[in-house]
């Protein structure tokens, strides 16, 4: 499963009230789960950075782990 699919799986299972919480900072800008999803859905460079950072922080992990 690629990073985007793993993110979307986690996002789908998040309670609605948590989606407005900040999940990551990219270039000094905070991103909530909702804003991160928008960037990722649009396949932007920022979305790619978000996925890379979330994977590095092990927030989105392979199912093997």
């Amino acid at each position: 499963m690629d990073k985007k699919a793993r993110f979307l799986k986690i996002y789908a299972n998040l309670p609605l009230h948590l989606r407005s919480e900040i999940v990551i900072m990219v270039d000094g800008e905070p991103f909530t789960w909702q804003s991160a999803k928008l960037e990722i859905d649009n396949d932007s460079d920022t979305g790619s950075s978000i996925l890379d950072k979330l994977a590095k922080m092990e927030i989105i992990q392979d199912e093997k782990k």
Side-chain angles (χ1 to χ4, degrees):
M1 188 179 310
D2 68 355
K3 293 176 193 172
K4 184 174 182 176
R6 294 189 325 247
F7 174 86
L8 293 173
K9 183 177 179 180
I10 292 168
Y11 184 83
N13 289 303
L14 276 176
L16 293 177
H17 68 278
L18 290 180
R19 293 181 181 182
S20 62
E21 297 292 323
I22 294 171
V23 65
I24 196 145
M25 298 280 290
V26 176
D27 297 328
E29 185 176 346
F31 285 87
T32 65
W33 285 97
Q34 291 168 327
S35 60
K37 183 178 183 299
L38 288 173
E39 294 291 338
I40 292 165
D41 284 345
N42 289 319
D43 295 318
S44 69
D45 290 338
T46 302
S48 180
S49 294
I50 290 168
L51 287 173
D52 289 342
K53 286 187 177 201
L54 290 175
K56 186 175 181 180
M57 295 169 58
E58 297 184 353
I59 293 174
I60 55 175
Q61 298 179 1
D62 287 326
E63 292 180 11
K64 299 174 193 172
K65 291 184 178 181

